[in-house]
Amino acid sequence: MIRHWLAALLAAVLLVAGCAPDPQEDQADEGTESAASAQMEPPTDLPAADDAAAVLAEALAAGDVSAIPMQSAAAAAQQELEVIVAGMDDVAPTITVGDISYSGEDNSATATFQYSFPIGHEPWTYETQPVFKWVDAQWRLVWSPTVIHPELTELSRMRRVVTEPKRAPINDRNGVALVEEVSLFEVGIDKASVDQAQWAASARQLATVLDMDPAAFENKVLRGGERQFVIAQTLRQVDIPSGVAAIPGIHVKETKATVGPSDGFAASLLGIVGTPTAEMIAESEGRLTETDVIGLSGLQSRYNERLGGVPGVRVELVPRSEESSFQTKVVFNQEESVGAPITLSLDTDLQAKAEDILGGQQGIASIVAIDLATGGIAAAANSPAAGTYPYATYGKYAPGSTFKVVSALAMVRKGAKASSTVECTPQHTVGSYTFNNYPGYAHTGNITLADAIAYSCNTAFTRASANVTGAELHAAAGSLGVGTDYDAGFTSYFGTVDPQNDIDRAASMIGQGQVTMSPMGMAAVAASVAKGETVVPWLVDEYRAAPNAAPLTAAEAGELRAMMAETVNKGTATMLKGLATGAKSGTAQFGAQGQQSTHAWMIAYSGQYAVAAFVEVGDSGGTVAAPLIQQLLS
C-alpha cells in the first residue's frame, strides 16, 4: 500500500510540475534559442562569409571557378566543372545566395544556393549547399560536385536533352496546309565511306542523275574535308531518283523542314522557320540555343509558341565514362506538347494565281484581294523584287486618286451626292501651291461628282478641301476601314490620314501630301464600299479586329458605288468592264522635285472580291495596275 501511495504522490508532483511554469526551464529554452540564432551568425572571431558566397555564385553562373579560393586545387575544380556542364548546351543558371549558417566547432560556413536554369516552359530550380572553411585568414570553398547539383558525384555529369515537337501547320481557309513540317532528305556523297580515288567519279555520277552541273559538284566534293558529307540536293522522298542507290559513297540523310506548296509561296505573310540568330539567343536569356527551331518572320514568328508547341526537355545525371558504375537519373523533365495550327483566310488557288500574275513584273508590285463574304484576305501577293518584305499588307505609299473615294465620302457627309455638280478647273491654287489635273485631262467645267471620280479630276477635290476639315477626312477614312491603327494579328498597315495645314489637306483629298496607305488598306476601302459597311480585313481566324470608327451607312455606300460604277462604265477603268462592278484608278508622284516618278494604283470590286493592285513605278493606274486586276478576275 505504501509503495502505491508513493507512486501516486510522485505522479501528482510530476503533473503539477508539468502544468506550472518553471523559470529555470524558460531560461534553458531561451539559451537553446540563442544558440540556434548564433548559428546564423559567424563566430565572434571570424568575418561573415557573404562576400565569398556571392563571388562563388557569380563564378558558377559564369562557368569559371578557377580564381575561387579553395581547400583543394582550383584548376582541378575548374576542369571538373567543365566536364559536368558540357552537356548543358551553354545554358547558364541564375544563382541566388540564401541563408548562411556557421559552425564554431570547425570554423565552417554553409551557404544555400538557389539555382534557376531557364531551360523549360518553367525554369528548373533546385538548391545546393556549398561549404566554406576558414583557413589562412580567408574563407575557402570545400569543392565537391554537389556544389553544382546535390545528387552529382565524381562519377556523373549533367546532360540536357531536347526533343522538338512536330511544328503545327498553317492552313488555308479550307483547312489545307499552306506550310507544314515534312520529312526531306539530304542527298550527297559521304567521303568517309568510299575510297578517295572514287570521290570525283561519284560526284559526277550523282550530279548527272540529279541534273546538276557535274564539274561544279565534283569541285565542291573535292574541296571538302576527308570525312565530310557533301550535300548535292535536299529533296522530298518521292523526288529522289532511283538511280542514286547504285552510286558509290551515296548517302541519304533525313531532315525536317517547314515547307509550302512552292518556293516562296506567300512568304511575306507566312514567314520562315529556322535556327535563331546569335542576337536572338543572347536576348532569350538561355531559353534558346543554336539547335532550336523557331519562326523567324511573319506568322511563323508571331505565332511561334502556338505553332511550335512546347519541346520536351530533360536533364539527366549520366556517367562520365563508359566504365562508370553510375546509373543515369532524370532530375528534370518537361513533357513535349505538339503545337496547334492556325487557319487563315487565304485562298490557296487565288494566292497562287496572284503570285503567278506578278511573277514577270519588274520592280515592286502587289495585289491584295478581300473576300467580300467574310472580309478575310483571300490573297496578298508581291512581285519577286519584293523579296520577303510584306509590301502588300505593310507597304506605306501615297495612294493617289484611289483615295478620292475617301474624300468623296467626306463630301457626301457634307451633303453631296453622286449627281451633285462640282467645278473641275484646269488649275486650283491653295496658298502658295497650285494643283493641276493629270496631263491630257479633258473633262473640265461643271461636272457631276460621279464624273469627277470617273475621270479623276484633281481640282474638284482640292477645291472641296475648303469645306472638309482634317478631322472629317480622317473620320471618312475610318468608316472605310483605314486611317486607324489596328492590331490585326499579322504585319499590317492601315494607313495614316492626318493633314497638317490647308495645302496638306487639299493634297490629302487627292491622295498626296502626308496620306499613306498599303495595298491592303486600299483594298479595304473598296471592300467597305462594296459591302456597304466598314471592313477591317482579317487574315488569322479567331483574330479579327473590330472597326472602331463611325459606321459606313447604306445610303453613303450607295452614293460611292454609283461613283465607282461610272469609273468602270466610262472612266479610267473601262478595261475592267464585265469583270468589276466598281473601280477607281490612282497615280501618285513621289521623289525629289524634278526627278519624280509615279506610283500606279487601281482598286475595284466584283460580286466576290475587292481588289487593290499597286505598281511602285508605273505610268498610270488605268494602264499599269488595271491589267493586273483584269488578269486576277478573269
Side-chain angles (χ1 to χ4, degrees):
M1 294 290 295
I2 294 175
R3 186 178 287 176
H4 289 166
W5 178 82
L6 288 173
L9 178 62
L10 179 59
V13 171
L14 290 173
L15 180 62
V16 171
C19 295
D22 185 338
Q24 291 183 347
E25 184 175 313
D26 285 350
Q27 289 175 3
D29 289 343
E30 289 175 6
T32 301
E33 292 175 4
S34 298
S37 298
Q39 292 178 0
M40 305 305 295
E41 299 292 334
T44 55
D45 58 339
L46 297 180
D50 298 70
D51 289 346
V55 170
L56 174 61
E58 184 177 350
L60 287 168
D64 185 359
V65 296
S66 59
I68 298 295
M70 299 186 192
Q71 283 195 311
S72 55
Q78 175 62 29
Q79 185 177 13
E80 187 171 30
L81 170 63
E82 292 174 1
V83 170
I84 289 172
V85 302
M88 291 298 289
D89 300 323
D90 294 326
V91 179
T94 298
I95 303 175
T96 305
V97 180
D99 294 334
I100 301 177
S101 61
Y102 299 87
S103 171
E105 294 182 2
D106 58 356
N107 289 342
S108 67
T110 302
T112 298
F113 278 12
Q114 296 158 348
Y115 275 74
S116 178
F117 273 94
I119 58 173
H121 193 65
E122 296 294 336
W124 175 37
T125 60
Y126 60 87
E127 291 186 353
T128 66
Q129 291 189 310
V131 176
F132 299 84
K133 291 289 186 70
W134 182 257
V135 178
D136 296 334
Q138 67 178 158
W139 288 110
R140 292 179 174 269
L141 175 68
V142 180
W143 173 257
S144 166
T146 57
V147 171
I148 304 169
H149 188 276
E151 298 182 70
L152 279 167
T153 72
E154 69 280 357
L155 300 177
S156 59
R157 62 183 179 88
M158 301 166 76
R159 179 174 67 188
R160 172 178 180 253
V161 181
V162 178
T163 305
E164 291 292 342
K166 180 178 175 63
R167 194 171 184 86
I170 299 178
N171 298 326
D172 72 0
R173 65 181 187 178
N174 296 316
V176 177
L178 291 169
V179 285
E180 61 181 333
E181 184 179 289
V182 299
S183 290
L184 296 179
F185 296 85
E186 297 172 339
V187 181
I189 300 298
D190 180 12
K191 297 172 68 174
S193 67
V194 66
D195 291 339
Q196 182 174 351
Q198 181 64 42
W199 290 349
S202 291
R204 283 183 167 273
Q205 189 177 353
L206 178 58
T208 301
V209 171
L210 296 179
D211 196 23
M212 298 171 58
D213 182 341
F217 185 60
E218 177 189 354
N219 186 43
K220 181 180 179 181
V221 169
L222 296 180
R223 286 201 318 268
E226 293 184 358
R227 304 185 63 81
Q228 184 179 350
F229 170 45
V230 185
I231 300 171
Q233 289 182 0
T234 300
L235 304 168
R236 296 178 186 266
Q237 187 172 16
V238 296
D239 296 327
I240 301 175
S242 58
V244 304
I247 299 173
I250 189 68
H251 183 64
V252 179
K253 178 183 177 183
E254 183 177 3
T255 185
K256 298 292 184 181
T258 303
V259 299
S262 60
D263 290 343
F265 182 86
S268 66
L269 288 178
L270 303 177
I272 59 174
V273 173
T275 55
T277 63
E279 183 179 2
M280 290 176 177
I281 294 172
E283 291 177 352
S284 74
E285 298 180 347
R287 292 187 301 277
L288 295 175
T289 71
E290 61 184 11
T291 61
D292 290 323
V293 176
I294 63 170
L296 297 176
S297 62
L299 297 175
Q300 292 284 9
S301 175
R302 173 143 188 169
Y303 298 94
N304 180 66
E305 186 172 342
R306 175 172 174 171
L307 294 167
V310 177
V313 181
R314 189 172 70 254
V315 179
E316 303 169 333
L317 303 185
V318 298
R320 294 191 193 180
S321 66
E322 294 181 0
E323 296 77 20
S324 173
S325 61
F326 184 86
Q327 298 296 311
T328 296
K329 181 176 183 179
V330 177
V331 291
F332 174 82
N333 188 45
Q334 172 182 279
E335 294 293 340
E336 172 187 338
S337 66
V338 179
I342 60 174
T343 298
L344 307 185
S345 58
L346 286 184
D347 180 319
T348 301
D349 293 338
L350 193 67
Q351 176 71 26
K353 184 176 183 180
E355 292 187 359
D356 185 57
I357 290 168
L358 294 174
Q361 190 75 33
Q362 299 298 314
I364 305 297
S366 302
I367 295 174
V368 175
I370 296 174
D371 187 330
L372 293 177
T374 65
I377 297 174
N382 296 303
S383 60
T388 58
Y389 189 84
Y391 289 99
T393 61
Y394 197 65
K396 301 179 181 181
Y397 298 101
S401 293
T402 56
F403 193 74
K404 288 173 182 174
V405 177
V406 175
S407 303
L409 175 58
M411 294 167 67
V412 167
R413 287 178 171 175
K414 303 291 280 191
K417 295 180 179 295
S419 59
S420 296
T421 299
V422 294
E423 188 177 358
C424 179
T425 56
Q427 294 182 329
H428 175 235
T429 300
V430 179
S432 60
Y433 191 85
T434 298
F435 293 91
N436 299 282
N437 292 309
Y438 63 81
Y441 181 85
H443 303 277
T444 56
N446 292 329
I447 61 175
T448 64
L449 181 54
D451 283 349
I453 286 284
Y455 300 127
S456 204
C457 173
N458 288 338
T459 57
F461 287 92
T462 60
R463 295 174 74 87
S465 68
N467 298 316
V468 175
T469 67
E472 290 168 340
L473 189 61
H474 183 273
S479 298
L480 293 171
V482 295
T484 300
D485 187 26
Y486 292 99
D487 181 4
F490 63 102
T491 304
S492 52
Y493 178 65
F494 289 86
T496 299
V497 183
D498 186 24
Q500 300 297 306
N501 51 53
D502 291 348
I503 295 176
D504 190 18
R505 189 171 69 256
S508 296
M509 293 284 285
I510 58 173
Q512 297 269 192
Q514 301 303 308
V515 173
T516 55
M517 289 287 156
S518 66
M520 178 202 68
M522 291 314 302
V525 170
S528 297
V529 173
K531 288 198 72 173
E533 62 185 51
T534 305
V535 174
V536 178
W538 62 273
L539 178 66
V540 181
D541 198 16
E542 302 175 3
Y543 205 130
R544 309 186 190 192
N548 57 16
L552 179 69
T553 69
E556 292 167 346
E559 295 295 335
L560 296 177
R561 282 197 290 268
M563 299 178 205
M564 294 182 71
E566 289 298 277
T567 309
V568 176
N569 292 335
K570 62 181 182 182
T572 55
T574 55
M575 180 184 294
L576 301 179
K577 275 186 180 181
L579 298 172
T581 307
K584 181 69 191 86
S585 63
T587 304
Q589 293 182 329
F590 71 97
Q593 191 68 32
Q595 299 178 342
Q596 292 180 322
S597 298
T598 54
H599 302 318
W601 290 85
M602 180 65 75
I603 61 174
Y605 59 85
S606 64
Q608 187 174 7
Y609 299 113
V611 187
F614 167 77
V615 178
E616 187 178 42
V617 180
D619 292 336
S620 70
T623 60
V624 174
L628 302 179
I629 295 181
Q630 183 184 46
Q631 294 176 67
L632 188 74
L633 297 181
S634 297

